Amino acid sequence: MTILYRARWVLPVVSAMIDEGAVAVEGTRIVGVGSRAEIDEQYPEAGTRDFGEAAIIPGLVNAHSHLELTALRNFLEPVEGDFFAWLSKLTVARLERMTADDLCVSAAWGAIEAARAGVTCVGDASDSAQTSAAALRDVGLRGIVYQEAFGPDARLAQEQFEKLCEKVERLRVDENSLVRIGISPHATYTVSAPLLELFTEYALAESLPVMMHAAESIAEMRFMREGRGEFAENLARRGIEWRAPGVSTIQYLARLGVLRARPLLAHCITVDAADIETIKESDARVAHCPKSNAKLGHGRAPYAAFLRSGVKIGFGSDSVASNNTCDILEEARFATLLSRAGEGNIRAKELSAVDAAAALHTATVGGAYALGLEAQKGALAVGMEADITVVALDGAHQLPAHDVNSALIFASSGRDVRMTMVAGKEVFRDGRVVTVDEERLHARIREVGRKLVGD
Ligand SMILES: [Zn+2]
């Protein structure tokens, strides 16, 4: 059966905007994109849904999240000035106060939030990947779940490597057309060089997507270049030897061969022109998380320079423990404003390169490229998977919508989303996530929240 989704505006992103447009969906795929008249003529028998004063855009992509940490929203602020206190409060809450089912609720609530905000696909780094993968499958979102791995002690590399392989083998049994498994060696300060090398060979041999946190802070830069600071002290306390390579994180990953796996690199704040060139040359990808980076005081990634260089880049929310929401339209607006603010005496030509159209591209097509899913999703085009988001543009805060890209990026947020569709299936519509029992999960997430504060 074919269904036509109509709206005042259709933005395919890879081609020109269509006034009074329609998207025809059959099964899991898009079979037509055009003007309402054209599509009506092509499919006279089809059912229709008309969203009126709204924009139909490709499904938003959240390239970097930690769904399992959703229950820690608004919880870590008292310790956010101290990274190790932050990490330890997070770990204690996660490991000691939450049961396996609590974690499932946490991840599912994160997936519900994403669906409500028009996110159709996530790149999720998870310590308990089976939990995240189940949440995505239940809610009906697409995604890659990267099983996280830690192991700074080189002496234990082989053992830790084998542990991850076992986990991944189990996880891959449940892979389906929507949810794939990848691996995430956490960061250069938590994973030893030999372990990074083992993971890279494994990923290449098994065609596993790889994601890493990279170049996230000044502290990380000091650790890499000088072998000093809080990360080095932490390893020393644990009796783990660290010889700083004396280069940036990106050059270190290039040197170890990790970039051959074309990893998705979350953050990339402390990168210079040579690093950007290395990322581009190696075809690694970037998840830009401007709100999380700003909130934790880590700085900002050079978004404008990434756009100029043609690096594959998408937006990520990071965990809501540090953000505090998963809202990719808001992330896009924040990235654009922050980039413009940071340039100071920016010239008009540069300003127009970091505009609303570029941000919408990064939020959709860019995200798909970042996750390596561009052949299936990211744009509205015939033959692509029907991952679609509908954003209402008739609110008091949006009218008049003279320029639709601007209305979407500068005047809208995830709260304006009316419908979220993944692979032809409506996941969120008419104000409800229709795939799971939202009321039950609403009650459960409150319960988990009370547990965390010891009630
Ligand atoms: Zn992260």
Side-chain angles (χ1 to χ4, degrees), residues 331-345:
E331 214 68 54
R333 174 163 51 91
F334 194 77
T336 307
L337 298 182
L338 198 62
S339 177
R340 290 180 173 194
E343 307 279 336
N345 57 351

Side-chain angles (χ1 to χ4, degrees), residues 1-5 23-33 39 42-47 381-388 421-426:
M1 188 163 110
T2 311
I3 304 196
L4 311 185
Y5 293 86
V23 178
V25 173
E26 215 172 84
T28 68
R29 288 182 186 273
I30 295 172
V31 293
V33 181
I39 300 294
Q42 245 179 302
Y43 298 98
E45 309 285 305
V382 172
M384 296 290 254
E385 289 279 290
D387 287 13
I388 294 170
M421 170 183 283
V422 182
K425 188 172 173 190
E426 295 175 17

Side-chain angles (χ1 to χ4, degrees), residues 64 66 213 267 318:
H64 183 55
H66 299 269
H213 295 88
H267 308 305
D318 207 349

Side-chain angles (χ1 to χ4, degrees), residues 19 25 121 237 245 274 362 389 395 416 439:
D19 271 317
V25 173
C121 181
R237 267 198 302 276
T362 305
T389 297
D416 299 307
E439 262 129 63

Side-chain angles (χ1 to χ4, degrees), residues 65-70 103-104 106-108 111 122-139 141 143-147 171 179 181:
S65 64
H66 299 269
L67 292 176
E68 64 186 343
L69 302 181
T70 303
L103 266 187
C104 289
S106 183
V122 301
D124 196 64
S126 177
D127 193 31
S128 60
Q130 78 278 11
T131 305
S132 272
L136 294 180
R137 282 195 296 269
D138 290 350
V139 175
L141 298 185
I144 299 178
V145 178
Y146 304 91
Q147 172 64 55
L171 287 163
V179 183
I181 297 299

